[in-house]
Amino acid sequence: MKRSHAIFIGATGLIFAGAYVGQVGKTRLEDAPAAEAPAEARLYTSLEECMRAHQGWTSIPPVSGQPAPLSPGQAQCQRDFADANASHVQAAPKFNNQSECEAQYGAQQCRPATFNGSSVFVPAMLGFMVANALNGQRNSQALLPPMRNGTACPPGQTPETMPGCTAPPRSGSSTSGSGGGWRSYSTSSGHTVSRDTSKAASSAVTVPAGATGAPAARSSVGAIAARPSSFSRSSTSSRSTTSRSGFGSIGRSISRSGS
């Protein structure tokens, strides 16, 4: 008889790590790699969403006939977006053709790109994530479509209590997120990150710690494996995430850094 779960003691308390196995009438946790400690990040669907969320006071006086001066938060949005946009193609998984890319990320979720003089396909940039803001690193990276081989959240769990799992939208939610619900993305490293679209933009969301590192250049071509999700009993507090609309049509890349 298989052991039903593995118990780990970490800095955050008692942690259960496991992959959900669906059976009729019951839920079970199976042996799995050690759970990653959760971390916090901020997810934005567009530069405009970030700019709206950081409207505020600025010491620069307005000039007649000129655009309103940016707040410090809005100026930071522009820098974070530019960093994520610049590293998107370099860090994203690369494929020889569109069908190979869509087999992992879904129909119309990929776009052509040029990398080191070669034509490739990469998953589209659907937003950007900012992590490690409090320690001054501000690692910014592109948000990609969720991977098809990601781990679905078990019944009763959400990406807030089980960072790294993929949750379907709540009943009644719309594609723009106006009705509230979870929206999941992946990172170039293969982690799944999610936000609750019923909550305010610019609030922190819970993500796997491994997803918060600075994106590294990726020169190889081919698929990547989905990261195992984890469950932490210590992740019970409510955390706010972002809302509002996405980048627009699926597969559209971000082409500007704002002004």
Side-chain angles (χ1 to χ4, degrees):
M1 180 176 181
K2 290 186 178 180
R3 183 179 299 176
S4 62
H5 62 269
I7 301 178
F8 300 87
I9 303 296
T12 58
L14 187 63
I15 297 178
F16 290 82
Y20 169 72
V21 177
Q23 292 186 342
V24 177
K26 66 178 181 178
T27 299
R28 187 175 66 176
L29 295 176
E30 290 290 337
D31 291 334
E36 285 188 280
E40 289 189 343
R42 284 166 174 78
L43 280 59
Y44 300 101
T45 59
S46 66
L47 171 60
E48 289 73 22
E49 180 184 62
C50 185
M51 298 282 281
R52 289 193 301 268
H54 289 86
Q55 292 176 348
W57 177 85
T58 175
S59 60
I60 303 174
V63 177
S64 178
Q66 298 296 321
L70 300 178
S71 71
Q74 289 177 321
Q76 187 64 60
C77 284
Q78 291 189 339
R79 291 190 289 269
D80 291 334
F81 170 81
D83 289 344
N85 192 33
S87 64
H88 172 211
V89 173
Q90 286 77 13
K94 299 165 185 64
F95 300 85
N96 289 317
N97 55 64
Q98 185 173 356
S99 60
E100 289 179 356
C101 183
E102 291 184 347
Q104 187 161 345
Y105 289 94
Q108 300 181 345
Q109 300 283 349
C110 300
R111 70 171 181 86
T114 300
F115 181 74
N116 288 344
S118 299
S119 296
V120 295
F121 279 83
V122 297
M125 181 174 174
L126 303 183
F128 66 104
M129 179 177 73
V130 181
N132 301 325
L134 295 180
N135 62 18
Q137 294 182 11
R138 299 199 68 88
N139 295 332
S140 181
Q141 60 180 296
L143 293 176
L144 311 176
M147 298 170 64
R148 283 184 161 180
N149 61 345
T151 302
C153 296
Q157 302 295 336
T158 70
E160 183 177 60
T161 59
M162 188 175 178
C165 70
T166 302
R170 282 197 288 263
S171 177
S173 64
S174 65
T175 55
S176 66
S178 59
W182 288 97
R183 177 176 293 175
S184 294
Y185 305 88
S186 65
T187 67
S188 59
S189 59
H191 291 86
T192 297
V193 296
S194 305
R195 71 176 203 172
D196 185 344
T197 60
S198 69
K199 298 184 178 180
S202 80
S203 298
V205 301
T206 305
V207 300
T212 63
R218 185 180 177 88
S219 59
S220 59
V221 175
I224 58 176
R227 301 282 178 168
S229 59
S230 59
F231 173 65
S232 170
R233 281 191 173 178
S234 63
S235 302
T236 57
S237 61
S238 176
R239 290 180 172 87
S240 297
T241 55
T242 57
S243 62
R244 305 186 183 110
S245 61
F247 272 11
S249 60
I250 298 299
R252 181 183 302 168
S253 66
I254 304 175
S255 61
R256 63 187 183 85
S257 61
S259 57

